[in-house]
């Protein structure tokens, strides 16, 4: 797989997210060729801390998604608290105040489904640790659009339910420990 | 790569365009320039809810059955709101905007996309507590008639009141939220005098025009559903509706940063997305 085929990475994580993302995002080089869109379930109001935390540890640019913001390579964009974050076909972010999905806003499914529509086979979808089922339906949409699907090995996850549900919904997903996910992302997006 | 998959993807997009065109031509609801990703998601849900397989089939139903069209429109106009949603926004209105508003002998305030009235009641309470009520006329507009009717009734389920009360407190409320409602009809019935100086009206930011000169417009979490050109149209409407020095408040993750009318406004309270119409 060459970087040219890939257009974006979408990551979803819930319980245990910060520890898992701390192993992944700081490993990305400054000139990482893909945009990285991330949904983390945290109680409303806490997300700006997340952005600050990762900005201090990452070489790539880190921000919180704003409505109509262009999606840029080499940038990690976290979904803001209390909004769903979607990808528009033109490569910009749009936000939505629609009802929570699985009690969660932002929702991983909502990001993944819209990103699968926008990027098709160019999307790499990653489901990490978590204690609910968000992301399973979204990852299936990524696979159906021809994208790459990666799931954290449930045996290595802080909370297994979410990666387990993702694998059940998307049988062809590649199951990897965090180290393997980092390698796959580097291979997908290093110039 | 699977060609079949690619093709069916494109077909769905064609179908959605045609369906939105049908909705517009037949019923004058114009969702054609709403943000694609959001509208697609809502339409998929509407289609599933109707138990219909394709958007073409849904379009057929919409064209021939106004009741189906009404249900779909209800689905496309998302009704999620709260009293004092983002309390810090209302706190900033109270502490930073109200002192300016107090210098005007009379005020017109527009709550655009008011949903079932949560935001309107929040402003009405805040204006009463700040002694501005008597000089103020509120316009509360939306395109969803059921939401406007609910806003005019001012009755909310009791299970939402705890969250409203907490928001009110965080927003710097001066009394107790319970001073403003009585319980009955299975809900909290907000004091009808809060709505005495409110004009409720069906108005679309997509197809309708300026109707009065305002000192403050609050339009939160409505334009996120629009695409960029449509946002520009709506912000242009706000610019033309605002008195010079008037205020525009947006949702907490919206901004004028990407708007073609950005230069007509200055940032008044940056973190709260409150803008001021430039005086020159
Ligand atoms: C998510 S609600 C926002 C409610 C409230 N302003 C808030 O922030 O809590 C969006 C509202 O915008 C309304 N809306 C959608 N399209 C509109 C349009 N073209 N013109 C006016 N209102 C519209 C919907 O009916 C809905 O009530």
């Amino acid at each position: 797989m060459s970087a040219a085929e890939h257009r974006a990475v979408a990551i979803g994580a819930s319980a245990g997210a910060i520890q898992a993302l701390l192993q992944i995002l700081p490993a990305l080089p400054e000139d990482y060729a893909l945009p990285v869109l991330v949904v983390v379930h945290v109680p409303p109001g806490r997300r700006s801390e997340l952005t600050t935390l990762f900005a201090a540890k990452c070489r790539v640019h880190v921000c919180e998604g704003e409505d109509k913001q262009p999606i840029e390579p080499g940038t990690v964009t976290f979904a803001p608290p209390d909004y769903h974050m979607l990808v528009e076909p033109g490569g910009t972010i749009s936000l939505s105040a629609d009802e929570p999905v699985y009690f969660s806003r932002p929702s991983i499914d909502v990001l993944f489904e819209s990103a699968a529509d926008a990027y098709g086979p160019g999307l790499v979808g990653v489901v990490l640790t978590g204690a609910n089922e968000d992301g399973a339906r979204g990852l299936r949409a990524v696979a159906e659009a021809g994208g790459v699907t990666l799931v954290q090995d449930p045996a290595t996850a802080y909370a297994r339910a979410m990666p387990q549900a993702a694998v059940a919904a998307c049988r062809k997903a590649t199951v990897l420990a965090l180290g393997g996910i980092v390698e796959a992302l580097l291979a997908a997006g290093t110039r | 790569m699977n060609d079949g998959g690619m093709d069916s993807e494109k077909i769905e997009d064609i179908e959605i365009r045609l369906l939105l065109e049908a909705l517009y031509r037949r019923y004058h609801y114009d969702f054609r320039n709403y943000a694609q990703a959001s509208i697609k998601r809502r339409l998929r849900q509407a289609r599933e809810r109707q138990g219909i397989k394709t958007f073409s089939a849904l379009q057929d139903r919409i064209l021939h059955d106004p009741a189906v069209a009404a249900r779909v429109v209800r689905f496309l106009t998302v009704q999620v709101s709260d009293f004092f949603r983002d309390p810090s926004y209302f706190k900033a209105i109270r502490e930073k905007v109200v002192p300016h508003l107090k210098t005007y002998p009379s005020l017109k305030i527009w709550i655009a996309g008011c949903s079932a009235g949560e935001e309107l009641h929040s402003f009405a309470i805040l204006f009463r507590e700040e002694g501005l009520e008597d000089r103020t006329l509120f316009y509360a507009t939306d395109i969803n008639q059921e939401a406007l009717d609910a806003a005019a009734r001012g009755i909310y389920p009791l299970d939402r009141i705890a969250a409203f009360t907490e928001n009110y407190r965080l927003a710097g409320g001066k009394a107790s939220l319970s001073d403003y409602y009585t319980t009955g009809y299975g809900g909290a019935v907000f004091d009808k005098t809060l709505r005495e100086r409110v004009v409720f009206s069906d108005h679309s930011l997509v197809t309708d025009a300026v109707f009065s000169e305002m000192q403050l417009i609050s339009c939160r979490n409505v334009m996120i559903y629009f695409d960029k050109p449509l946002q520009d149209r709506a912000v242009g409407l706000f610019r033309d509706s605002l008195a010079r020095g008037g205020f525009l408040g947006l949702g907490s993750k919206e901004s004028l940063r990407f708007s073609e009318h950005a230069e007509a406004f200055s940032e008044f309270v940056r973190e709260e997305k409150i803008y001021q119409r430039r005086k020159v």
Side-chain angles (χ1 to χ4, degrees), chain B residues 6 25 53 86-87 109 137 147 190 206 210 230 232 235 245 266:
Chain B
M6 283 292 282
R25 296 225 193 155
K53 280 226 177 63
D86 309 311
I109 312 294
L137 182 61
F190 278 78
V206 180
V210 172
L230 197 52
D232 286 336
V235 175
S266 57

Side-chain angles (χ1 to χ4, degrees), chain B:
Chain B
M1 196 198 318
N2 177 330
D3 276 347
M6 283 292 282
D7 279 342
S8 59
E9 204 58 44
K10 284 201 203 112
I11 290 171
E12 192 179 57
D13 288 341
I14 297 168
E15 287 181 295
I16 287 176
R17 285 204 175 281
L18 293 173
L19 185 155
L20 295 179
E21 190 66 35
L23 206 51
Y24 176 63
R25 296 225 193 155
R26 175 86 166 81
Y27 303 99
H28 299 285
Y29 278 106
D30 192 355
F31 294 100
R32 293 173 301 174
N33 296 303
Y34 277 46
Q36 268 187 55
S38 278
I39 199 94
K40 195 184 237 185
R41 176 165 183 269
R42 299 303 291 189
L43 278 174
R44 278 180 183 152
Q45 289 180 341
R47 189 190 63 191
E48 279 168 28
R49 191 66 64 90
Q50 301 287 322
I52 293 174
K53 280 226 177 63
T54 66
F55 287 118
S56 303
L58 181 59
Q59 177 192 318
D60 182 67
R61 296 284 301 280
I62 286 173
L63 280 172
H64 297 288
D65 186 346
V68 172
R71 279 203 289 277
V72 170
V73 166
R74 228 175 292 147
F75 235 94
L76 295 183
T77 51
V78 179
Q79 302 299 321
V80 181
S81 192
D82 257 322
F83 269 60
F84 298 95
R85 176 184 200 154
D86 309 311
S88 55
Y89 171 79
F90 288 93
K91 203 157 192 283
I93 295 279
R94 192 190 283 272
E95 290 170 0
K96 309 224 163 93
V97 176
V98 161
H100 286 260
L101 298 180
K102 284 187 171 162
T103 65
Y104 291 86
S106 75
L107 294 167
K108 286 182 178 170
I109 312 294
W110 180 12
I111 314 298
C114 67
S115 195
E118 294 89 338
E119 191 181 345
L120 168 77
H121 281 90
S122 309
F123 270 98
I125 289 169
L126 195 159
F127 273 47
R128 177 171 293 183
E129 291 181 357
E130 295 299 329
L132 288 173
E133 188 180 27
D134 294 341
R135 67 181 95 165
T136 302
L137 182 61
F138 286 103
Y139 295 94
T141 64
D142 204 285
I143 56 169
N144 183 315
Q145 188 58 48
E146 283 176 18
L148 285 169
D149 293 344
R153 279 194 302 274
I155 304 176
Y156 302 92
L158 286 174
D159 61 8
R160 297 181 66 193
I161 293 298
F164 291 178
T165 303
E166 176 64 1
N167 281 353
Y168 168 75
R169 191 184 65 76
L170 292 170
K174 289 186 170 166
S176 161
L177 191 64
S178 60
D179 294 348
Y180 299 101
Y181 64 82
T182 52
T183 49
Y185 306 101
V189 185
F190 278 78
D191 184 355
K192 66 174 185 300
T193 63
L194 289 169
R195 296 180 296 277
E196 254 166 14
R197 306 188 54 81
V198 183
V199 177
F200 294 96
S201 155
D202 182 339
H203 179 281
S204 171
L205 298 173
V206 180
T207 47
D208 293 325
V210 172
F211 56 90
S212 192
E213 188 180 75
M214 311 288 168
Q215 278 69 46
L216 167 65
I217 299 173
S218 187
C219 182
R220 313 192 70 215
N221 304 308
V222 181
M223 290 191 290
I224 51 176
Y225 292 101
F226 297 173
D227 74 4
K228 173 79 173 48
L230 197 52
Q231 284 190 354
D232 286 336
R233 183 202 192 267
V235 175
L237 198 61
F238 296 149
R239 179 200 55 197
D240 297 343
S241 301
L242 276 175
R244 298 197 176 261
F247 299 91
L248 172 64
L250 305 178
S252 62
K253 300 298 163 191
E254 300 175 277
S255 79
L256 296 181
R257 208 148 49 104
F258 309 111
S259 169
E260 69 175 28
H261 303 298
E263 79 294 339
F265 296 88
S266 57
E267 289 179 333
F268 187 70
V269 185
R270 185 163 196 268
E271 324 75 73
E272 299 303 334
K273 309 301 162 73
I274 300 172
Y275 294 84
Q276 186 171 28
R277 172 90 165 86
R278 284 191 197 280
K279 297 199 172 107
V280 283

Side-chain angles (χ1 to χ4, degrees), chain A residues 50-63:
Chain A
L50 206 61
T51 311
T52 317
L53 171 74
F54 281 94
K57 303 215 183 267
C58 289
R59 285 169 285 167
V60 286
H61 179 61
V62 177
C63 65

Side-chain angles (χ1 to χ4, degrees), chain A residues 74 85 102 104 121 123 146 162 171 189:
Chain A
M85 181 166 85
Y102 294 114
S104 189
L123 182 67
M162 205 165 85
R171 297 260 168 218

Side-chain angles (χ1 to χ4, degrees), chain A residues 98-130:
Chain A
D98 287 13
E99 301 80 3
V101 178
Y102 294 114
F103 306 103
S104 189
R105 191 172 59 196
S107 141
I108 301 167
D109 283 343
V110 172
L111 170 67
F112 279 25
E113 285 173 2
S114 67
D117 274 340
Y119 296 117
L123 182 67
V124 183
V126 187
V127 174
L128 302 175
T129 169

